[in-house]
Amino acid sequence: MRSASGAKGQPAPHRGAGTRRMLTWAKEALLPPVAVFILVVGLWEWGTHLFEVPVYVVPPPSRIWESLLFDGTAIFTHAGITFFEAFAGFVIGSALGIILGTAFAYSRFLARGLMPYVIAANTIPVVAIAPIIIIWFGHGIISKIAVTAFLSFFPLALNMMKGLQSYDRTVMDVFHVSAASGWQKFVKMRLPTSLPYVFVGLKLNVTFSVIGAIIAEFVQADRGLGFMIMTAYRTLNMPRLWAAMLVSALIGILFFGIIALIERLAIPWHSSMRSNQKP
Amino acid sequence: MTGSAEAKVRISDVDVIYPGALGASAVHALDGIDLAVRDGEFVSLIGPSGCGKSTLLRVLSDLAKPTEGSVVVAGDDPRRARLKRKVGFVFQDAALLEWRRILTNVALPLEIEGVPRGKRLARAQELIDLVGLSGFERQYPNQLSGGMRQRAAIARAMSTKPEVLLMDEPFGALDQITRDRLNLELLNLTQKNRMTVLFVTHSIREAVLLSDRVVVMTARPGRISEIIEVDLPRPRTLEVRETAAFAALANRGVHLLEMGSKT
Ligand SMILES: Nc1ncnc2c1ncn2[C@@H]1O[C@H](COP(=O)(O)OP(=O)(O)O)[C@@H](O)[C@H]1O
Ligand SMILES: [Mg+2]
């Protein structure tokens, strides 16, 4: 009987259809990157052997993999520390950005008065500010979190302000005619409208915060991926360096995936979330 | 009928002047507007764009302040009337919240008012049935057509049982067939529920069909040039548009609009 409703040409929401959609998705979205991965790794392995590329220039994938297996615990312990620094700084910096962005959206005076300095602060290269922050906050994890928070702050302040200002004028009129309080306008309209912008900022921050944590570790650290990369570089342990680099990319992807998932759950109505556009 | 005490809306000698921004000259949007609208009356405003129709509705709903003159809406000044939720407004754009279902969109003004959830959703459901959206209450706005979105906006504006309903070109963006259908339903709605309505439109035929009076305005500065009494019997249906009396009124409106645009 099930096939009868399917035969009408209606995409019936049956389990069979869902599974089929999963399979098409796997085929269309998953297959190309996996194929490319296999091809690239294969060529890379084959090429390094064929042209006898020195390991310190480009190690073959098998050597990197060995290093990952051999050093696994160490690499993932360091990666865990870096991830924690990046995540904590991300949360603190984003939260501060949200607060200041909200203040900017509601106070012209604050926005006009502070914005030039916030922009100026944002143009400082992180490699220049990191040593200063480390002097202030010490050699431990706190200073790495502070550097990351510093980087995460600006994208959120800016996007939060833009998001809160991007409401529809007519919708605002509807709230006004309905005698809504300022708080009701904020919670029921301006905040939901700002969410897509907030997520743009959060996604930027994912990348920035991993970079920030690693750079801060370059400057001064006795643990973390940045520290590991630096020591591997000094001892010319290139497979280890490459392994650490790949794991740092993995952290970024994982982190980004978490935020993208939260975005999907938080703002399913937003048009960029509707997945019926082909890539 | 002319007793001033029973006027639901009274506009006395109202001027609105928008100060020109940065070098631009000031705009005299409304000049000496006098108008009294009776309780339960349906009044249309028609005129070239820029003659101040929207501005007039915005003054009545406390979205804009008159530069001169006074306004009484349901016995209060516009601000009090708004805070007491005596005014409903339907805009040309439905302006629904995209992240809410139709049911909670319609219930929004009641939610803002603080009406308990069960009660406000029941009322919203009633209104949804009234405007012919039954079955769509669980949908999101982007799943609905323009006409349906506008129905939801009308239901939302009526949710607080306003004494005065303001409608600014509510059907302006709809195709003719949808527009006809919504005209018919608005006729039925206003004939069944006693409501005082001020309705802005660009269509003289729509104005004559729906109204007790049609106010014809001219631009620069915005003034009332003429008021047409529409004495067609009620209840009306769309067929009234085929009568000679309707044609005569519509022609008169067209003529007045043309005269206004020549000066
Ligand atoms: N907020 C505003 N600031 C300055 N000028 C305005 C504003 N709103 C409307 N106007 C001007 O006032 C005049 C009347 O506008 P409006 O009431 O929107 O006319 P209508 O609705 O009849 O087209 C127009 O010339 C318009 O440009
Ligand atoms: Mg207008």
Side-chain angles (χ1 to χ4, degrees):
Chain A
M1 287 306 105
R2 285 192 155 200
S3 56
S5 69
K8 279 181 187 155
Q10 282 270 328
H14 283 157
R15 186 173 298 177
T19 317
R20 208 173 315 130
R21 195 154 355 108
M22 282 285 281
L23 280 175
T24 354
W25 175 80
K27 211 167 75 185
E28 286 183 358
L30 225 50
L31 203 59
V34 169
V36 168
F37 179 81
I38 293 172
L39 196 73
V40 168
V41 171
L43 281 176
W44 178 357
E45 184 76 39
W46 179 71
T48 44
H49 290 299
L50 185 74
F51 301 111
E52 291 173 349
V53 181
V55 168
Y56 65 85
V57 176
V58 180
S62 54
R63 289 289 299 276
I64 298 171
W65 179 243
E66 261 169 41
S67 176
L68 261 177
L69 284 184
F70 183 71
D71 279 349
T73 355
I75 291 181
F76 283 99
T77 312
H78 287 297
I81 288 161
T82 302
F83 183 77
F84 175 75
E85 292 164 354
F87 186 75
F90 168 88
V91 169
I92 294 169
S94 301
L96 290 175
I98 283 174
I99 292 168
L100 197 78
T102 306
F104 282 176
Y106 276 88
S107 163
R108 242 175 207 230
F109 176 80
L110 270 185
R112 291 230 174 107
L114 287 181
M115 196 53 108
Y117 301 103
V118 173
I119 291 172
N122 183 57
T123 59
I124 301 172
V126 60
V127 285
I129 196 92
I132 298 173
I133 292 180
I134 287 168
I135 296 285
W136 289 345
F137 289 94
H139 287 181
I141 271 179
I142 305 288
S143 58
K144 317 300 180 294
I145 294 174
V147 171
T148 309
F150 176 81
L151 280 182
S152 298
F153 172 76
F154 183 75
L156 245 101
L158 203 66
N159 277 290
M160 186 70 191
M161 180 176 76
K162 266 203 265 174
L164 287 175
Q165 288 169 341
S166 70
Y167 59 82
D168 182 297
R169 301 299 288 245
T170 313
V171 172
M172 181 55 109
D173 288 346
V174 168
F175 272 76
H176 188 74
V177 172
S178 304
S181 66
W183 174 249
Q184 285 173 322
K185 286 173 189 164
F186 177 70
V187 173
K188 295 184 199 295
M189 178 186 62
R190 296 180 74 167
L191 202 57
T193 316
S194 75
L195 284 182
Y197 291 82
V198 168
F199 277 101
V200 168
L202 289 177
K203 284 170 164 176
L204 280 172
N205 279 355
V206 166
T207 325
F208 289 165
S209 57
V210 176
I211 295 173
I214 290 178
I215 286 182
E217 287 166 354
F218 279 180
V219 175
Q220 191 286 319
D222 56 6
R223 68 198 74 176
L225 278 181
F227 162 76
M228 196 173 187
I229 289 169
M230 274 322 223
T231 44
Y233 167 68
R234 288 200 191 102
T235 55
L236 274 187
N237 186 346
M238 289 330 248
R240 194 166 197 227
L241 199 160
W242 280 69
M245 179 188 79
L246 290 178
V247 170
S248 72
L250 221 61
I251 291 179
I253 293 168
L254 180 76
F255 201 169
F256 192 88
I258 293 171
I259 300 301
L261 186 72
I262 296 174
E263 179 178 25
R264 226 161 233 282
L265 297 174
I267 50 172
W269 73 85
H270 190 241
S271 59
S272 74
M273 291 291 99
R274 271 173 235 134
S275 54
N276 46 13
Q277 304 113 305
K278 293 248 166 185
Chain B
M1 281 306 235
T2 49
S4 57
E6 52 190 295
K8 187 54 89 177
V9 175
R10 174 166 292 281
I11 301 157
S12 314
D13 212 13
V14 161
D15 274 37
V16 172
I17 299 167
Y18 290 113
L22 289 177
S25 60
V27 178
H28 209 149
L30 290 174
D31 182 23
I33 300 292
D34 264 306
L35 184 68
V37 181
R38 293 186 300 270
D39 188 14
E41 195 179 16
F42 195 116
V43 171
S44 287
L45 304 173
I46 195 162
S49 65
C51 72
K53 305 178 295 291
S54 299
T55 300
L56 189 56
L57 295 197
R58 293 178 76 80
V59 165
L60 295 177
S61 54
D62 191 37
L63 287 166
K65 297 260 181 267
T67 316
E68 292 284 344
S70 72
V71 176
V72 178
V73 178
D76 278 306
D77 63 70
R79 185 178 145 75
R80 285 230 193 83
R82 173 174 70 84
L83 293 177
K84 290 180 182 170
R85 300 178 165 89
K86 289 177 170 180
V87 181
F89 207 133
V90 181
F91 298 88
Q92 176 166 3
D93 185 70
L96 301 169
L97 304 180
E98 298 298 327
W99 54 89
R100 284 178 177 234
R101 297 175 198 279
I102 296 303
L103 186 69
T104 42
N105 255 300
V106 170
L108 177 74
L110 297 170
E111 183 181 324
I112 290 170
E113 194 180 344
V115 175
R117 186 180 163 80
K119 211 173 146 195
R120 68 175 185 251
L121 293 186
R123 168 88 181 133
Q125 185 63 56
E126 254 173 54
L127 285 158
I128 284 171
D129 297 340
L130 194 68
V131 299
L133 277 181
S134 314
F136 293 96
E137 45 284 277
R138 307 285 303 156
Q139 307 278 61
Y140 284 96
N142 64 37
Q143 297 172 296
L144 265 54
S145 68
M148 289 163 120
R149 291 166 65 95
Q150 210 47 273
R151 284 167 199 257
I154 292 171
R156 179 180 61 190
M158 290 173 62
S159 65
T160 51
K161 299 193 173 141
E163 293 181 38
V164 178
L165 187 61
L166 309 174
M167 305 179 92
D168 194 352
E169 299 184 42
F171 309 140
L174 304 179
D175 61 85
Q176 194 54 51
I177 295 171
T178 312
R179 196 168 178 152
D180 274 357
R181 194 181 297 154
L182 283 172
N183 275 335
L184 181 64
E185 281 167 18
L186 188 59
L187 260 181
N188 290 335
L189 266 178
T190 52
Q191 279 162 180
K192 266 186 233 149
N193 312 265
R194 191 177 175 77
M195 273 193 297
T196 307
V197 185
L198 272 102
F199 185 91
V200 171
T201 177
H202 272 127
S203 157
I204 184 72
R205 288 168 61 79
E206 187 174 68
V208 172
L209 172 69
L210 296 170
S211 312
D212 300 305
R213 283 190 292 161
V214 178
V215 175
V216 182
M217 298 176 69
T218 51
R220 267 166 279 276
R223 284 192 180 130
I224 295 178
S225 70
E226 185 88 42
I227 298 181
I228 305 173
E229 294 277 346
V230 182
D231 44 12
L232 302 170
R234 288 187 188 268
R236 296 176 197 159
T237 59
L238 294 183
E239 283 68 48
V240 78
R241 294 183 303 189
E242 278 129 47
T243 63
F246 182 92
L249 288 164
N251 280 339
R252 189 155 156 244
V254 170
H255 181 67
L256 286 168
L257 281 176
E258 275 171 359
M259 285 205 330
S261 63
K262 264 178 208 148
T263 51

